Amino acid sequence: SAAVRLAANGISDVTHFIPCHLGLAKTPREFSIGSVRFEQTELALARLEPALSAYIEQELDDGDGGRKVRATSLVNDTQKYYASFDWIAEICITGCDRSTSKKRAERIVQSALDCLHLLIGAGYSNHMRVGGPGFSTDRRGKIEVKPNGRVEISTSVDWLSHPVGDGWWEGLTENGRDEFIQLMGVALDVGHGLPRPAPMAQRFLDGVAWFGEAARDPFHASRLIKFVTAIERILTTKNETNLSETLAARGAAMASMFESGRLVSLRQNFKEVYNLRSLLVHGARSALEPGLGRGVRDAERLTRLVLFGALQFYGETGLQAKDVSLRKHDSWFEDLLKWAERGLE
């Protein structure tokens, strides 16, 4: 009883504000994926201004002018850090201790960002980040010395954000992605649920996490490996006798939800990508050799088809299901394969 009371004193409901690099655009001003609300930084800081002022004033009430100066400095430094990002993610975590609450908030916001990677595509979102260093530009210099001893110097600057364009979020929702966004929100809420996440939602979030890692990775070989790992997380059920053939069959069936009439060629695409991944992982092909770009592009395309397909395949009911055995999951894939094969008849 004493332990329960002690634990209860340490838990609370906390709303976290996490800075993010998403993209430079005037609209939308805010949008949400599930329980995560993204808002442009200037709006979020303006909304927080009364609470920040109250934080400073409470130090004045204690009669210690030095403490108020320190509080003012702390608020100013924090605002400056947040202002170096273009967006702030807001999420409320209930019933957790301080450390657990912070970790859950960061993980859920990262999952929401991974969903953005999936919606937008890796090439248009590789600079998107949650938290981290407070800078928006990457300035570099280079020194070269020619055979005659003459020095040549060059500089470059890269904006660590994306000109996604005004109305980019509306563009996503108007292009038929609103159903997927709604299902992503369901996955975020139940896939991180305590004490035990819903298994299919967790699978999707694991897969999209690998996709996000690949999108942010500049190294071609590891990007391809991460894309294929995302595919494996969605399609494996521990009941595979020939993993390459199973992934190709299941992946093609899931992808054919969006690319009908291409089941045979899709199977071949999956086999080629998985074979390339195996050659890289097992050392039969150098990770540094040129020419991996096409394989990476193919891997990204197939991974996006599988992840979007998983959302449609599971649906809201499947994502929310608390008990899904591996045998039952395997039977779902058997039904999917039969459906895809009928499309060839």
Side-chain angles (χ1 to χ4, degrees), residues 138-156:
D138 179 11
R139 298 183 180 275
R140 305 191 183 194
K142 182 171 67 174
I143 299 175
E144 297 177 340
V145 179
K146 301 299 183 181
N148 60 6
R150 182 177 177 177
V151 172
E152 290 192 2
I153 297 177
S154 60
T155 61
S156 64

Side-chain angles (χ1 to χ4, degrees), residues 21-22 117 122 124-129 158-162 215-216:
H21 286 302
L22 297 185
H117 283 301
Y124 300 97
S125 65
N126 61 303
H127 284 322
M128 290 185 173
R129 295 289 189 279
D158 186 16
W159 277 263
L160 300 182
S161 193
H162 290 277
R216 297 185 294 272

Side-chain angles (χ1 to χ4, degrees), residues 123-341:
Y124 300 97
S125 65
N126 61 303
H127 284 322
M128 290 185 173
R129 295 289 189 279
V130 171
F135 57 86
S136 58
T137 57
D138 179 11
R139 298 183 180 275
R140 305 191 183 194
K142 182 171 67 174
I143 299 175
E144 297 177 340
V145 179
K146 301 299 183 181
N148 60 6
R150 182 177 177 177
V151 172
E152 290 192 2
I153 297 177
S154 60
T155 61
S156 64
V157 59
D158 186 16
W159 277 263
L160 300 182
S161 193
H162 290 277
V164 289
D166 292 343
W168 62 275
W169 180 254
E170 291 81 358
L172 288 176
T173 57
E174 290 171 0
N175 288 335
R177 299 285 170 86
D178 51 334
E179 179 184 355
F180 293 121
I181 294 169
Q182 186 268 332
L183 291 172
M184 288 172 177
V186 173
L188 284 177
D189 291 340
V190 300
H192 288 292
L194 296 177
R196 187 167 63 93
M200 296 299 99
Q202 186 180 47
R203 273 183 179 266
F204 171 75
L205 294 179
D206 288 347
V208 84
W210 280 112
F211 185 92
E213 287 293 329
R216 297 185 294 272
D217 193 334
F219 187 41
H220 273 181
S222 58
R223 287 183 70 195
L224 187 143
I225 292 169
K226 290 172 181 177
F227 282 137
V228 176
T229 303
I231 293 174
E232 287 184 310
R233 180 58 178 138
I234 298 297
L235 300 181
T236 55
T237 58
K238 304 295 183 184
N239 192 30
E240 298 82 24
T241 55
N242 185 326
L243 186 57
S244 176
E245 290 291 338
T246 300
L247 290 181
R250 291 177 176 178
M254 195 166 280
S256 65
M257 294 179 184
F258 311 102
E259 297 188 6
S260 60
R262 295 193 59 242
L263 189 63
V264 175
S265 60
L266 282 168
R267 282 178 181 170
Q268 185 60 33
N269 293 157
F270 275 96
K271 287 181 181 179
E272 291 171 354
V273 166
Y274 188 78
N275 181 59
L276 179 55
R277 172 261 187 197
S278 298
L279 292 174
L280 290 170
V281 169
H282 299 299
R285 184 166 176 178
S286 171
L288 300 177
E289 69 177 69
L292 292 178
R294 179 181 175 181
V296 173
R297 290 190 297 272
D298 289 344
E300 180 189 353
R301 181 179 68 85
L302 296 176
T303 306
R304 294 185 78 196
L305 289 172
V306 165
L307 288 170
F308 282 126
L311 289 174
Q312 189 162 307
F313 181 50
Y314 300 144
E316 186 170 348
T317 301
L319 289 171
Q320 292 178 331
K322 290 295 185 179
D323 295 302
V324 180
S325 67
L326 292 177
R327 178 178 295 180
K328 184 175 183 179
H329 194 194
D330 197 58
S331 71
W332 288 357
F333 277 120
E334 290 176 4
D335 292 340
L336 177 66
L337 292 175
K338 292 176 183 177
W339 169 84
E341 290 291 344

